[in-house]
Amino acid sequence: MDLTRDRGSPLRVRVVSDGRAGIQNQALGLAEAVQRLRPAAIEVCRIGWRPAFDKWPSALKQPWMRDPASDPVLPPDGAAWPDIWIATGRASLPLSVRAASAGPGRPFVVQTQDPRWRTDRFDLVVAPEHDGLSGPNVVSILGSPHRITPVRIADAVAAFADRLDPLPHPRVAVLIGGRSASHDLPPGHAARLAEQIAGAVAAVGGSVMVTLSRRTPPGAEAVLREGLAGIPGWVWDGQGDNPYFGFLGAADHVLVTEDSANMAAEAASTGRPVHLLPMVARKTGSKFDRLREALIIRGLARPFDGTLDFPATPRVPLAETDRAARLLLARYDAWRA
């Protein structure tokens, strides 16, 4: 560590990922939570590996194997490291380990998700509870770090006011995932979901605000659009600015498919009633099952039963990203002392 750094200057935080939104937003969300607690300058870096080396084990990868289009995350000789390095995803692992072993002046290295590497190679690992990871330098949180804040979603609602304001209440955000290693969304199942969602929203005279994932199978997308066509609302077509944050901010209820830890945690952070839409399981006992049960047990979500009924007990918005940021800064301060 570099004890000559001015403790009064803003922290320099480098965010490292492969750039995919669902991956990058975990590290960036944690960095932004740090920035809300302490002055910090955030640098976002996207990295990748040449196709010939992309599938190699992380322990064998060398910096020269990176895709030439990658951002230069490792400083040249004599250049300063950031104060804090926050990374997410498999692509970042070899570089995080290199940063953590760089010697004097190196950054405090934080890895989110289960790195599936020895956790003592990093200064801190922020991992979802459902990954089942433990260790002296592991912080477990419910769900994943994210970028949802009351200010961000309020700003997004204002930005999309011309489309959102006319929608009748209750407004129902519908967040659809898709096929993954653990879940699937075949057309027949999607058609049944669309019928149930349409029935629930029509029964209360509401509207829908629907986002789909890159993982949503085309057949499922087609039947969802068809099944919800008769309900007032907005099914985003992927064109223009993404209204996802606006949908969360404008929602009276949030329906989210059970295949995405990111979307479930983001929905629970709004304080709105969250309904979990069932998917077709491709395997049992997955980490998503553990997350689902944790959200239900804590009263943050319930399985969708074809209605928008939800117990009227107050729900405290899930704020695990902020908690992780506080713990990160406490560890960082101790590391620097």
Side-chain angles (χ1 to χ4, degrees), residues 187-268:
H189 186 80
R192 288 189 291 275
L193 285 182
E195 181 180 5
Q196 290 180 318
I197 295 168
V201 176
V204 294
S207 58
V208 294
M209 303 171 293
V210 185
T211 64
L212 302 158
S213 166
R214 289 179 299 177
R215 296 184 291 104
T216 307
E221 177 176 347
V223 297
L224 282 164
R225 289 184 180 278
E226 180 181 357
L228 297 173
I231 303 297
W234 180 8
V235 181
W236 187 49
D237 60 5
Q239 302 300 311
D241 293 336
N242 191 336
Y244 177 78
F245 287 165
F247 286 1
L248 287 176
D252 298 299
H253 293 261
V254 182
L255 276 58
V256 56
T257 52
E258 62 184 355
D259 61 309
S260 172
N262 290 347
M263 290 196 303
E266 289 165 354

Side-chain angles (χ1 to χ4, degrees), residues 47 49 56-63 74 85 89-101 111 117 121-122:
I47 57 94
W49 300 89
W56 279 33
S58 294
L60 299 180
K61 288 178 177 173
Q62 299 297 318
L74 301 177
W85 169 294
R90 181 177 63 87
S92 70
L93 290 172
L95 303 176
S96 293
V97 169
R98 181 169 289 265
S101 59
Q111 197 73 25
W117 203 326
R121 300 298 300 272
F122 313 95

Side-chain angles (χ1 to χ4, degrees), residues 12 15 47 58 113 190 204 279 281:
R12 294 164 293 156
V15 168
I47 57 94
S58 294
Q113 299 182 328
V204 294
M279 299 275 280

Side-chain angles (χ1 to χ4, degrees), residues 62-139:
Q62 299 297 318
W64 62 266
M65 299 175 182
R66 283 177 295 168
D67 187 312
S70 294
D71 292 326
V73 294
L74 301 177
D77 291 343
W81 287 90
D83 298 302
I84 299 175
W85 169 294
I86 303 177
T88 302
R90 181 177 63 87
S92 70
L93 290 172
L95 303 176
S96 293
V97 169
R98 181 169 289 265
S101 59
R106 74 171 181 85
F108 183 78
V109 175
V110 182
Q111 197 73 25
T112 75
Q113 299 182 328
D114 181 354
R116 301 190 179 184
W117 203 326
R118 285 172 43 191
T119 57
D120 61 5
R121 300 298 300 272
F122 313 95
D123 296 304
L124 186 68
V125 176
V126 177
E129 288 180 10
H130 58 260
D131 279 347
L133 196 64
S134 62
N137 66 329
V138 175
V139 168

Side-chain angles (χ1 to χ4, degrees), residues 118-183:
R118 285 172 43 191
T119 57
D120 61 5
R121 300 298 300 272
F122 313 95
D123 296 304
L124 186 68
V125 176
V126 177
E129 288 180 10
H130 58 260
D131 279 347
L133 196 64
S134 62
N137 66 329
V138 175
V139 168
S140 293
I141 65 174
L142 180 57
S144 304
H146 57 76
R147 302 184 66 202
I148 301 298
T149 66
V151 171
R152 178 164 279 122
I153 61 176
D155 287 346
V157 171
F160 292 101
D162 60 330
R163 293 292 304 270
L164 297 175
D165 285 352
L167 299 180
H169 289 275
R171 298 170 182 157
V172 181
V174 183
L175 316 180
I176 302 294
R179 184 175 174 83
S180 66
S182 59
H183 294 89

